[in-house]
Amino acid sequence: MPTTTARTEFLAGVRAELPILLGVAPFGMIYGALAIGAGLPRSAAQAMSSIVFAGSAQFVATQLFATGTPGLVLLLTTFIVNLRHMLYSASLAPYLHKLPRRWKWLLAYLLTDEAYAPTILHYRQGEVNHGDTESTEMPDRRHWFFLGAGLALWSVWQVSTAVGIFLGAGVPPSWALDFTLALTFIALLIPVLTDRPSVAAALSAGIIALVGAGWPYKLGLVTAALVGIAVGAWLDRSRTRGSDQALIPGAAGEEA
């Protein structure tokens, strides 16, 4: 692997995140305005962006808060919505498992959809171009790429939330900023649909989300997330089991 520095990796992560930030900024403004409209105090709305730092969960929690949803249902719903981060963590774990604990905690906090997509592509591209860095003596500094992408996103999310809180209901509906949310997630989704399990998970979750769009308490979204995770995990496990059996001498002959 060509020699890289922490600085070059960090800046590469920031650059990779820049196109995504064009969609994140209006997304944060919408959240800030929505939070104020739902009756959240300004400090609580901003604190949610700083502490929770999960756009989808913040939107769902704010909407449920506005409708007077019981606290337990609100917590359970946002927990399920964020279950996808466990899959992100499992995907990145092979690349990050040797890092000190302080790095793992920091990167776990910065792990979002928008930071995960360019980071996992960066790791995978590195494997394609240069092989496994663990088999060489060259230090792997690609976690600095993750840090750059995550911090760039975090900074823009905080600022855009503050702008939305300040503007409140003053954001004209004609701006149609909510449309950027769909575009952003489509842009994140397409590059990572590289195998059968991920495609099946996306399709099954999308179908359930459409069918359950009118369900109360955002149950359609929750069900879609669970179905997508279950389908993707089942297909991935089946693929792994098939690969393991293919490596066992005589397994194919015995099945025949």
Side-chain angles (χ1 to χ4, degrees):
M1 174 175 288
T3 302
T4 61
T5 65
R7 181 176 182 273
T8 56
E9 287 287 345
F10 181 87
L11 293 178
V14 172
R15 287 194 298 269
E17 195 70 22
L18 288 178
I20 301 174
L21 298 181
L22 296 176
V24 168
F27 186 23
M29 291 174 60
I30 297 170
Y31 160 72
L34 180 66
I36 296 302
L40 282 173
R42 293 176 182 269
S43 58
Q46 188 68 53
M48 190 182 293
S49 280
S50 300
I51 299 173
V52 178
F53 187 43
S56 299
Q58 290 178 227
F59 267 82
V60 171
T62 300
Q63 292 171 352
L64 292 179
F65 176 83
T67 58
T69 302
L72 181 61
V73 175
L74 190 153
L75 291 174
L76 180 60
T77 302
T78 53
F79 172 76
I80 294 176
V81 168
N82 274 343
L83 276 178
R84 67 190 188 282
H85 290 94
M86 296 180 64
L87 301 180
Y88 297 161
S89 299
S91 175
L92 289 170
Y95 306 107
L96 306 176
H97 71 280
K98 289 189 175 182
L99 291 178
R101 182 167 297 181
R102 64 181 182 276
W103 266 103
K104 292 179 181 179
W105 281 101
L106 174 60
L107 296 179
Y109 168 68
L110 295 174
L111 180 59
T112 60
D113 305 278
E114 294 85 355
Y116 169 79
T119 298
I120 192 63
L121 291 176
H122 183 62
Y123 273 110
R124 289 175 178 173
Q125 190 61 43
E127 289 182 335
V128 171
N129 293 339
H130 310 295
D132 185 3
T133 57
E134 292 190 4
S135 62
T136 71
E137 297 180 358
M138 296 297 296
D140 186 359
R141 299 188 177 92
R142 288 177 292 179
H143 54 285
W144 284 93
F145 180 100
F146 188 173
L147 180 64
L151 281 180
L153 176 68
W154 185 89
S155 301
V156 170
W157 185 248
Q158 306 311 310
V159 173
S160 60
T161 294
V163 172
I165 292 173
F166 176 76
L167 293 177
V171 179
S174 59
W175 287 11
L177 295 179
D178 54 339
F179 186 62
T180 63
L181 174 60
L183 294 179
T184 299
F185 276 96
I186 290 173
L188 294 175
L189 179 65
I190 298 302
V192 297
L193 297 181
T194 57
D195 53 26
R196 184 184 174 193
S198 60
V199 172
L203 288 176
S204 58
I207 292 172
I208 298 300
L210 289 174
V211 172
W215 296 356
Y217 298 135
K218 303 295 181 181
L219 290 177
L221 180 62
V222 173
T223 305
L226 291 175
V227 169
I229 291 172
V231 170
W234 178 73
L235 288 176
D236 187 65
R237 191 183 307 113
S238 299
R239 182 181 61 178
T240 302
R241 189 185 304 117
S243 299
D244 292 342
Q245 290 179 350
L247 293 175
I248 300 176
E254 292 175 2
E255 292 182 358

